[in-house]
Amino acid sequence: MRTNTGLWWLLTVFSAVVAALYIGWNLIAHWPAEAAANPGADNWTIFTNSIEWVGSVALVFLAFMAALIAFYIGKVHKAQGGELPEDTLTADIDDGDPELGEFSPWSWWPIVLAASAGVAILGLAVGVWMFPIGVAIFLVAIVGWVYEYYRGYFAR
């Protein structure tokens, strides 16, 4: 976990440096052309017209998001009070393999939930009339009409 935190902080620094270089390069490349094209403009107008905003904002937000993840992972590492089995050299495979619970191998429930999410998102992208169909499929799945834990091979 400590290594993951370090890698995310490294990505934060890298993204911030690349964002600064990208913004500086845009200013160097486009400032003379903007100043020549707008001879009466003030420096702020020339500055805002010289920057390529989409890439600049994306790189700055990448740095912020990497810092957010690094901060979160660092807090989780500090709160758990110890190293994960993946981080210790003397750990066994069983140390990182906890019991996850009981799952129904023949259930259609996850497939129907995924289909409902797919239809709902497709409805938002293609036509709003499909969104209620996705919600209806979700309600059918969440109520349990397709959750077949008690039927078939594993009936009790």
Side-chain angles (χ1 to χ4, degrees):
M1 200 88 146
R2 184 172 305 176
T3 305
N4 293 339
T5 305
L7 287 174
W8 280 105
W9 281 120
L10 181 67
L11 182 64
T12 300
V13 171
F14 176 76
S15 301
V17 168
V18 168
L21 288 173
Y22 189 78
I23 292 169
W25 195 327
N26 278 314
L27 290 174
I28 291 169
H30 298 293
W31 191 285
E34 286 295 326
N38 302 320
D42 58 346
N43 285 338
W44 180 253
T45 305
I46 295 171
F47 174 78
T48 56
N49 289 338
S50 297
I51 295 178
E52 193 277 317
W53 287 102
V54 174
S56 302
V57 170
L59 288 170
V60 169
F61 279 155
L62 176 64
F64 283 137
M65 287 187 288
L68 179 71
I69 293 171
F71 177 75
Y72 175 74
I73 291 176
K75 286 292 187 184
V76 168
H77 173 69
K78 196 176 290 185
Q80 76 184 7
E83 295 292 326
L84 291 176
E86 293 88 11
D87 295 331
T88 58
L89 295 176
T90 59
D92 292 329
I93 293 175
D94 293 337
D95 294 339
D97 187 22
E99 180 66 35
L100 296 176
E102 186 176 329
F103 296 97
S104 303
W106 299 104
S107 177
W108 289 86
W109 194 46
I111 297 171
V112 176
L113 284 177
S116 70
V119 171
I121 297 300
L122 188 67
L124 292 176
V126 175
V128 180
W129 60 272
M130 290 179 70
F131 184 76
I133 296 172
V135 172
I137 296 171
F138 174 76
L139 290 175
V140 166
I142 207 70
V143 167
W145 291 326
V146 294
Y147 188 69
E148 299 173 357
Y149 180 74
Y150 53 89
R151 298 184 192 153
Y153 296 115
F154 301 101
R156 293 183 184 179

